[in-house]
Amino acid sequence: KRIVDMMNMQTRRIKANVWVARVYTLMVCLVFCVTAVQAQKSSDQGVKGLQPAENTPIPSMNTLKLVFPPGNEFRYVYHDSTVVHRVYSDSSLLDYTRDIQYYLQLKALKDPVDGVLEVLVNIDSLTYRFQSGDAELKYDIRSKMELKFPDLIAATVPVNREFTMKFSPYWEVVSTEGEMLDWLRNYIDQYGEGRIDSMRKFIWFNGITTPALAQFADVQKGALPNSRVHRDSTWRKPFFIKADGIDCRDDSATSKITGYAQSTYTIETTMKNLRVLPTQQRLYKIESMVDILGGKGSGKHTMQLTRKGVVQEAATECTTEMKARVRKEVFTENVKSRYTWKFLGQSEY
Protein backbone atom coordinates (compact mmCIF):
# COMPACT_ATOMS: atom_id res chain seq x y z
CA LYS A 1 0.00 0.00 0.00
CA ARG A 2 2.83 2.35 0.85
CA ILE A 3 4.39 1.71 -2.56
CA VAL A 4 1.05 2.39 -4.28
CA ASP A 5 0.64 5.67 -2.40
CA MET A 6 4.13 6.76 -3.38
CA MET A 7 3.42 5.95 -7.02
CA ASN A 8 0.14 7.89 -6.93
CA MET A 9 1.91 10.89 -5.37
CA GLN A 10 4.61 10.75 -8.04
CA THR A 11 1.94 10.64 -10.77
CA ARG A 12 0.21 13.72 -9.32
CA ARG A 13 3.54 15.56 -9.24
CA ILE A 14 4.23 14.69 -12.89
CA LYS A 15 0.74 15.87 -13.89
CA ALA A 16 1.26 19.12 -11.97
CA ASN A 17 4.62 19.68 -13.65
CA VAL A 18 3.09 19.00 -17.08
CA TRP A 19 0.32 21.51 -16.34
CA VAL A 20 2.87 24.13 -15.24
CA ALA A 21 4.94 23.48 -18.38
CA ARG A 22 1.89 23.89 -20.55
CA VAL A 23 0.97 27.17 -18.87
CA TYR A 24 4.55 28.43 -19.21
CA THR A 25 4.67 27.46 -22.89
CA LEU A 26 1.35 29.23 -23.51
CA MET A 27 2.63 32.38 -21.81
CA VAL A 28 5.83 32.32 -23.89
CA CYS A 29 3.78 31.95 -27.06
CA LEU A 30 1.55 34.87 -26.07
CA VAL A 31 4.55 37.07 -25.33
CA PHE A 32 6.14 36.12 -28.64
CA CYS A 33 2.95 36.88 -30.57
CA VAL A 34 2.48 40.26 -28.89
CA THR A 35 6.13 41.14 -29.52
CA ALA A 36 5.85 40.13 -33.16
CA VAL A 37 2.70 42.22 -33.64
CA GLN A 38 4.32 45.25 -32.00
CA ALA A 39 7.44 44.81 -34.12
CA GLN A 40 5.33 44.63 -37.25
CA LYS A 41 3.45 47.79 -36.25
CA SER A 42 6.72 49.58 -35.58
CA SER A 43 8.08 48.40 -38.90
CA ASP A 44 4.97 49.59 -40.74
CA GLN A 45 5.13 52.95 -39.01
CA GLY A 46 8.81 53.26 -39.90
CA VAL A 47 8.15 52.61 -43.60
CA LYS A 48 5.26 55.04 -43.62
CA GLY A 49 7.53 57.64 -42.04
CA LEU A 50 9.93 57.47 -45.02
CA GLN A 51 7.88 59.79 -47.15
CA PRO A 52 9.10 60.64 -50.66
CA ALA A 53 11.11 63.84 -50.75
CA GLU A 54 8.54 65.65 -52.85
CA ASN A 55 5.84 65.03 -50.23
CA THR A 56 7.73 66.66 -47.35
CA PRO A 57 5.67 69.68 -46.21
CA ILE A 58 7.16 73.04 -47.10
CA PRO A 59 7.52 75.38 -44.09
CA SER A 60 4.93 78.14 -43.92
CA MET A 61 7.39 81.06 -44.12
CA ASN A 62 10.82 80.77 -45.74
CA THR A 63 14.03 82.78 -45.86
CA LEU A 64 15.84 82.05 -49.12
CA LYS A 65 19.32 83.53 -49.36
CA LEU A 66 22.96 82.74 -50.00
CA VAL A 67 25.25 82.44 -46.98
CA PHE A 68 29.05 82.52 -47.23
CA PRO A 69 30.48 82.44 -43.68
CA PRO A 70 33.90 84.14 -43.62
CA GLY A 71 36.67 81.60 -43.23
CA ASN A 72 34.96 79.01 -45.46
CA GLU A 73 35.65 78.23 -49.10
CA PHE A 74 32.93 76.69 -51.27
CA ARG A 75 33.82 74.62 -54.33
CA TYR A 76 31.64 74.14 -57.41
CA VAL A 77 31.93 72.68 -60.88
CA TYR A 78 30.18 74.57 -63.69
CA HIS A 79 29.32 72.99 -67.03
CA ASP A 80 28.21 74.80 -70.19
CA SER A 81 26.76 72.66 -72.97
CA THR A 82 25.63 74.66 -76.03
CA VAL A 83 24.33 73.55 -79.43
CA VAL A 84 24.01 76.10 -82.25
CA HIS A 85 22.15 75.73 -85.54
CA ARG A 86 22.83 78.59 -87.97
CA VAL A 87 20.91 79.25 -91.21
CA TYR A 88 22.36 81.71 -93.74
CA SER A 89 20.30 83.74 -96.20
CA ASP A 90 21.07 81.26 -99.01
CA SER A 91 19.73 78.41 -96.80
CA SER A 92 23.19 76.96 -96.17
CA LEU A 93 23.67 75.56 -92.67
CA LEU A 94 26.31 75.53 -89.97
CA ASP A 95 26.09 73.52 -86.74
CA TYR A 96 28.47 73.45 -83.81
CA THR A 97 28.58 72.38 -80.18
CA ARG A 98 30.60 73.67 -77.26
CA ASP A 99 31.30 72.13 -73.85
CA ILE A 100 33.09 74.10 -71.14
CA GLN A 101 33.76 72.99 -67.59
CA TYR A 102 35.13 75.28 -64.87
CA TYR A 103 36.10 74.40 -61.30
CA LEU A 104 35.28 77.33 -59.03
CA GLN A 105 36.14 78.47 -55.53
CA LEU A 106 33.92 81.04 -53.81
CA LYS A 107 34.44 82.65 -50.42
CA ALA A 108 33.48 85.77 -48.50
CA LEU A 109 36.15 87.63 -46.55
CA LYS A 110 33.58 89.47 -44.44
CA ASP A 111 29.92 89.40 -43.48
CA PRO A 112 27.41 91.35 -45.64
CA VAL A 113 27.26 95.09 -44.99
CA ASP A 114 23.82 96.73 -45.38
CA GLY A 115 22.69 93.67 -47.29
CA VAL A 116 25.57 93.82 -49.79
CA LEU A 117 27.46 90.55 -50.09
CA GLU A 118 30.96 90.36 -51.59
CA VAL A 119 32.22 86.98 -52.79
CA LEU A 120 35.76 86.26 -53.93
CA VAL A 121 35.76 84.00 -57.02
CA ASN A 122 38.50 82.04 -58.75
CA ILE A 123 38.65 79.40 -61.51
CA ASP A 124 41.57 77.02 -61.18
CA SER A 125 40.69 74.44 -63.82
CA LEU A 126 39.18 74.29 -67.30
CA THR A 127 38.23 71.58 -69.78
CA TYR A 128 36.97 72.54 -73.25
CA ARG A 129 35.58 70.78 -76.28
CA PHE A 130 34.35 72.27 -79.56
CA GLN A 131 32.95 70.36 -82.52
CA SER A 132 31.61 71.38 -85.94
CA GLY A 133 31.13 68.71 -88.57
CA ASP A 134 34.21 66.49 -88.59
CA ALA A 135 36.39 69.11 -86.89
CA GLU A 136 36.95 68.79 -83.15
CA LEU A 137 39.14 70.63 -80.66
CA LYS A 138 39.82 69.55 -77.08
CA TYR A 139 41.72 71.46 -74.43
CA ASP A 140 42.39 71.39 -70.72
CA ILE A 141 44.48 73.42 -68.34
CA ARG A 142 47.48 71.09 -68.83
CA SER A 143 47.47 71.44 -72.62
CA LYS A 144 50.47 73.16 -74.19
CA MET A 145 48.88 74.05 -77.51
CA GLU A 146 49.09 77.64 -78.69
CA LEU A 147 45.85 79.55 -78.20
CA LYS A 148 44.79 80.59 -81.70
CA PHE A 149 41.15 79.49 -81.91
CA PRO A 150 39.03 82.56 -80.91
CA ASP A 151 36.33 80.53 -79.17
CA LEU A 152 38.92 78.74 -77.03
CA ILE A 153 40.66 82.02 -76.20
CA ALA A 154 37.32 83.35 -74.93
CA ALA A 155 36.92 80.31 -72.67
CA THR A 156 40.39 80.78 -71.12
CA VAL A 157 40.05 84.52 -70.35
CA PRO A 158 38.64 84.18 -66.78
CA VAL A 159 40.85 81.26 -65.70
CA ASN A 160 43.05 82.07 -62.67
CA ARG A 161 41.87 85.70 -62.58
CA GLU A 162 40.54 86.17 -59.08
CA PHE A 163 37.81 88.79 -58.70
CA THR A 164 35.22 90.01 -56.22
CA MET A 165 31.57 89.59 -57.21
CA LYS A 166 29.24 92.00 -55.42
CA PHE A 167 25.56 91.17 -54.79
CA SER A 168 23.00 93.87 -54.07
CA PRO A 169 20.42 93.29 -51.30
CA TYR A 170 18.11 92.15 -54.14
CA TRP A 171 20.51 89.40 -55.27
CA GLU A 172 21.59 91.13 -58.45
CA VAL A 173 25.27 91.05 -59.41
CA VAL A 174 26.10 94.75 -59.54
CA SER A 175 29.85 94.55 -60.13
CA THR A 176 32.90 92.34 -60.56
CA GLU A 177 36.21 93.90 -59.51
CA GLY A 178 39.75 92.87 -58.74
CA GLU A 179 43.41 93.71 -59.14
CA MET A 180 43.90 90.98 -61.71
CA LEU A 181 41.08 92.35 -63.87
CA ASP A 182 42.48 95.88 -63.59
CA TRP A 183 45.94 94.67 -64.53
CA LEU A 184 44.62 92.88 -67.62
CA ARG A 185 42.65 95.93 -68.77
CA ASN A 186 45.67 98.18 -68.36
CA TYR A 187 47.96 95.72 -70.09
CA ILE A 188 45.69 95.47 -73.13
CA ASP A 189 45.28 99.25 -73.29
CA GLN A 190 48.96 100.09 -72.88
CA TYR A 191 50.80 97.22 -74.51
CA GLY A 192 48.22 95.69 -76.81
CA GLU A 193 48.19 98.56 -79.28
CA GLY A 194 49.65 97.29 -82.54
CA ARG A 195 50.27 93.84 -81.07
CA ILE A 196 46.72 92.55 -80.58
CA ASP A 197 44.13 92.80 -83.34
CA SER A 198 40.72 94.32 -82.65
CA MET A 199 38.93 90.97 -82.53
CA ARG A 200 41.27 89.59 -79.90
CA LYS A 201 40.98 92.81 -77.92
CA PHE A 202 37.22 92.40 -77.91
CA ILE A 203 37.52 88.79 -76.74
CA TRP A 204 39.71 89.77 -73.78
CA PHE A 205 37.72 92.82 -72.74
CA ASN A 206 34.37 91.08 -73.19
CA GLY A 207 35.52 88.06 -71.16
CA ILE A 208 36.05 90.14 -68.01
CA THR A 209 32.81 92.14 -68.09
CA THR A 210 30.35 91.65 -65.24
CA PRO A 211 27.76 89.74 -67.37
CA ALA A 212 30.46 87.37 -68.66
CA LEU A 213 31.89 86.61 -65.21
CA ALA A 214 28.48 86.37 -63.53
CA GLN A 215 27.43 83.79 -66.13
CA PHE A 216 29.39 81.07 -64.33
CA ALA A 217 30.01 82.64 -60.90
CA ASP A 218 26.41 83.55 -59.99
CA VAL A 219 24.62 80.28 -59.31
CA GLN A 220 21.25 81.76 -58.31
CA LYS A 221 20.96 84.20 -61.27
CA GLY A 222 19.03 86.79 -59.29
CA ALA A 223 16.13 84.40 -58.75
CA LEU A 224 16.17 84.60 -54.94
CA PRO A 225 13.39 86.73 -53.44
CA ASN A 226 14.02 90.11 -51.82
CA SER A 227 12.34 89.07 -48.55
CA ARG A 228 10.78 86.10 -46.77
CA VAL A 229 8.18 84.23 -48.80
CA HIS A 230 5.18 82.05 -48.01
CA ARG A 231 5.29 78.46 -49.21
CA ASP A 232 2.59 79.23 -51.83
CA SER A 233 4.17 82.49 -53.01
CA THR A 234 5.39 83.27 -56.50
CA TRP A 235 7.63 86.23 -57.22
CA ARG A 236 8.81 88.01 -60.36
CA LYS A 237 12.33 89.29 -60.93
CA PRO A 238 14.63 89.99 -63.88
CA PHE A 239 16.65 86.96 -65.00
CA PHE A 240 19.87 87.34 -66.98
CA ILE A 241 21.60 84.59 -68.94
CA LYS A 242 23.90 84.20 -71.93
CA ALA A 243 23.23 82.06 -75.00
CA ASP A 244 26.27 81.40 -77.21
CA GLY A 245 27.87 84.36 -75.44
CA ILE A 246 24.99 86.70 -76.29
CA ASP A 247 23.14 88.57 -73.56
CA CYS A 248 19.53 87.48 -72.90
CA ARG A 249 17.11 88.82 -70.32
CA ASP A 250 13.61 88.15 -69.02
CA ASP A 251 12.30 91.09 -66.99
CA SER A 252 9.37 89.10 -65.59
CA ALA A 253 10.76 85.66 -64.80
CA THR A 254 8.53 83.86 -62.29
CA SER A 255 9.92 81.83 -59.37
CA LYS A 256 8.37 79.59 -56.73
CA ILE A 257 9.22 76.86 -54.24
CA THR A 258 8.31 73.50 -55.74
CA GLY A 259 9.71 71.11 -53.15
CA TYR A 260 11.33 70.70 -49.75
CA ALA A 261 13.29 67.71 -48.44
CA GLN A 262 16.05 67.19 -45.89
CA SER A 263 16.18 70.94 -45.16
CA THR A 264 16.70 71.71 -48.86
CA TYR A 265 14.40 73.79 -51.04
CA THR A 266 13.79 73.25 -54.72
CA ILE A 267 13.19 76.60 -56.43
CA GLU A 268 12.07 76.82 -60.05
CA THR A 269 12.25 79.94 -62.20
CA THR A 270 10.34 80.04 -65.49
CA MET A 271 11.34 82.35 -68.32
CA LYS A 272 8.57 82.76 -70.85
CA ASN A 273 9.64 86.14 -72.24
CA LEU A 274 13.38 85.76 -72.71
CA ARG A 275 14.67 88.52 -75.00
CA VAL A 276 17.91 88.43 -76.98
CA LEU A 277 19.44 91.87 -76.44
CA PRO A 278 20.74 93.78 -79.50
CA THR A 279 24.52 94.16 -79.30
CA GLN A 280 27.74 93.45 -81.16
CA GLN A 281 29.34 90.06 -80.68
CA ARG A 282 31.96 87.68 -82.02
CA LEU A 283 30.55 84.48 -83.50
CA TYR A 284 32.19 81.31 -84.76
CA LYS A 285 33.35 81.21 -88.38
CA ILE A 286 32.87 84.96 -88.91
CA GLU A 287 35.99 87.13 -89.11
CA SER A 288 34.39 90.49 -88.25
CA MET A 289 32.05 91.72 -85.54
CA VAL A 290 28.41 90.68 -85.87
CA ASP A 291 25.38 92.86 -85.18
CA ILE A 292 22.91 90.93 -83.05
CA LEU A 293 19.53 92.30 -84.14
CA GLY A 294 17.48 90.65 -81.40
CA GLY A 295 15.41 87.57 -80.79
CA LYS A 296 13.34 85.66 -78.28
CA GLY A 297 13.38 82.51 -76.24
CA SER A 298 12.28 80.64 -73.16
CA GLY A 299 13.83 78.62 -70.39
CA LYS A 300 13.81 77.25 -66.86
CA HIS A 301 16.22 77.53 -63.96
CA THR A 302 16.06 74.95 -61.15
CA MET A 303 18.01 75.35 -57.93
CA GLN A 304 18.38 73.34 -54.73
CA LEU A 305 19.13 75.61 -51.78
CA THR A 306 19.68 74.42 -48.20
CA ARG A 307 18.27 76.26 -45.20
CA LYS A 308 21.87 77.15 -44.36
CA GLY A 309 22.12 79.14 -47.59
CA VAL A 310 24.20 76.76 -49.73
CA VAL A 311 23.23 75.96 -53.32
CA GLN A 312 23.68 72.21 -53.66
CA GLU A 313 23.09 72.20 -57.39
CA ALA A 314 21.42 74.24 -60.09
CA ALA A 315 20.59 73.94 -63.79
CA THR A 316 19.45 76.33 -66.49
CA GLU A 317 17.98 75.19 -69.78
CA CYS A 318 17.06 77.72 -72.44
CA THR A 319 16.30 77.90 -76.13
CA THR A 320 16.66 81.10 -78.15
CA GLU A 321 16.08 82.16 -81.74
CA MET A 322 17.98 85.21 -82.88
CA LYS A 323 18.64 87.23 -85.99
CA ALA A 324 22.07 88.66 -86.80
CA ARG A 325 23.80 90.61 -89.55
CA VAL A 326 27.36 90.87 -90.77
CA ARG A 327 27.76 93.44 -93.55
CA LYS A 328 24.82 92.69 -95.89
CA GLU A 329 24.35 89.08 -94.81
CA VAL A 330 21.42 88.45 -92.46
CA PHE A 331 21.19 85.02 -90.85
CA THR A 332 19.46 83.29 -87.95
CA GLU A 333 20.67 81.13 -85.09
CA ASN A 334 18.81 78.66 -82.94
CA VAL A 335 20.70 78.11 -79.68
CA LYS A 336 20.01 75.40 -77.13
CA SER A 337 21.96 75.78 -73.90
CA ARG A 338 22.21 73.87 -70.66
CA TYR A 339 24.23 75.20 -67.75
CA THR A 340 24.75 73.27 -64.52
CA TRP A 341 26.37 73.98 -61.16
CA LYS A 342 27.20 71.29 -58.64
CA PHE A 343 28.44 71.81 -55.09
CA LEU A 344 31.62 69.79 -54.43
CA GLY A 345 32.19 70.69 -50.80
CA GLN A 346 33.55 73.33 -48.47
CA SER A 347 36.59 73.76 -46.27
CA GLU A 348 38.00 76.22 -43.79
CA TYR A 349 40.91 78.45 -44.66
Side-chain angles (χ1 to χ4, degrees):
K1 181 178 179 180
R2 183 176 298 176
I3 294 175
V4 172
D5 291 341
M6 291 178 64
M7 291 180 63
N8 290 336
M9 184 178 297
Q10 185 69 25
T11 301
R12 286 195 297 269
R13 288 177 180 175
I14 294 174
K15 289 182 178 180
N17 290 339
V18 171
W19 183 84
V20 170
R22 288 176 177 176
V23 171
Y24 177 78
T25 303
L26 179 61
M27 291 178 65
V28 170
C29 291
L30 287 173
V31 170
F32 177 81
C33 292
V34 170
T35 303
V37 170
Q38 289 178 342
Q40 183 63 40
K41 286 183 178 180
S42 298
S43 176
D44 292 342
Q45 289 173 354
V47 172
K48 290 179 182 178
L50 296 175
Q51 297 293 338
E54 59 270 21
N55 292 336
T56 303
I58 301 172
S60 178
M61 294 300 296
N62 303 274
T63 300
L64 308 176
K65 64 179 182 179
L66 300 181
V67 178
F68 289 91
N72 289 267
E73 182 179 80
F74 297 80
R75 299 182 302 279
Y76 286 88
V77 58
Y78 163 82
H79 185 213
D80 168 355
S81 179
T82 297
V83 179
V84 180
H85 177 69
R86 184 183 299 170
V87 182
Y88 291 103
S89 60
D90 62 359
S91 298
S92 58
L93 307 177
L94 176 67
D95 296 323
Y96 57 92
T97 62
R98 177 193 304 108
D99 286 280
I100 300 174
Q101 186 168 272
Y102 292 137
Y103 284 86
L104 311 170
Q105 292 89 41
L106 295 89
K107 57 186 176 184
L109 301 182
K110 60 182 180 180
D111 291 320
V113 178
D114 297 328
V116 176
L117 172 65
E118 296 183 2
V119 178
L120 202 62
V121 183
N122 187 52
I123 299 175
D124 68 1
S125 183
L126 158 72
T127 57
Y128 172 93
R129 176 179 173 272
F130 189 96
Q131 186 172 14
S132 181
D134 295 330
E136 182 180 47
L137 176 65
K138 293 182 178 181
Y139 177 89
D140 63 41
I141 202 68
R142 298 166 297 179
S143 300
K144 296 181 179 180
M145 72 172 66
E146 186 177 354
L147 299 180
K148 292 184 177 180
F149 185 47
D151 196 87
L152 173 58
I153 295 173
T156 63
V157 168
V159 177
N160 287 321
R161 302 192 190 281
E162 189 176 71
F163 61 91
T164 298
M165 177 172 57
K166 186 179 293 185
F167 291 97
S168 77
Y170 309 107
W171 298 111
E172 298 172 338
V173 177
V174 294
S175 68
T176 49
E177 304 170 347
E179 293 182 1
M180 291 185 177
L181 303 186
D182 294 338
W183 179 90
L184 182 58
R185 292 188 188 98
N186 293 333
Y187 178 84
I188 296 172
D189 280 336
Q190 295 179 20
Y191 303 102
E193 192 66 33
R195 303 178 185 179
I196 304 176
D197 60 46
S198 59
M199 178 66 75
R200 187 163 294 199
K201 270 188 177 182
F202 172 83
I203 291 173
W204 283 97
F205 278 131
N206 185 65
I208 55 176
T209 60
T210 293
L213 297 174
Q215 168 66 24
F216 57 82
D218 177 21
V219 180
Q220 55 88 42
K221 295 297 172 203
L224 292 177
N226 301 338
S227 58
R228 298 183 72 200
V229 293
H230 190 268
R231 61 186 166 209
D232 297 324
S233 296
T234 58
W235 58 95
R236 294 179 183 272
K237 293 186 65 181
F239 190 97
F240 185 90
I241 198 74
K242 281 183 174 286
D244 196 25
I246 300 168
D247 295 341
C248 302
R249 181 183 177 98
D250 188 332
D251 289 317
S252 58
T254 303
S255 299
K256 62 180 179 180
I257 302 172
T258 59
Y260 181 76
Q262 298 178 350
S263 298
T264 300
Y265 298 96
T266 298
I267 304 166
E268 286 189 2
T269 301
T270 303
M271 298 159 278
K272 295 182 179 180
N273 302 298
L274 198 61
R275 295 181 299 112
V276 179
L277 304 181
T279 186
Q280 279 200 323
Q281 186 56 265
R282 171 206 60 83
L283 295 180
Y284 170 62
K285 211 77 172 181
I286 299 176
E287 299 299 327
S288 57
M289 295 298 293
V290 175
D291 293 317
I292 306 300
L293 304 178
K296 61 182 180 179
S298 60
K300 178 181 286 189
H301 180 75
T302 304
M303 173 171 54
Q304 293 189 349
L305 176 73
T306 69
R307 297 195 74 170
K308 293 184 177 181
V310 178
V311 177
Q312 291 289 334
E313 58 183 316
T316 302
E317 293 184 346
C318 63
T319 301
T320 57
E321 296 177 359
M322 63 187 73
K323 184 178 290 187
R325 179 180 61 218
V326 54
R327 294 183 289 275
K328 294 183 179 180
E329 169 67 23
V330 177
F331 60 92
T332 60
E333 278 195 355
N334 182 287
V335 182
K336 294 183 178 180
S337 299
R338 176 174 171 81
Y339 310 109
T340 62
W341 295 259
K342 187 173 181 60
F343 178 60
L344 300 179
Q346 71 183 80
S347 57
E348 296 182 353
Y349 65 90

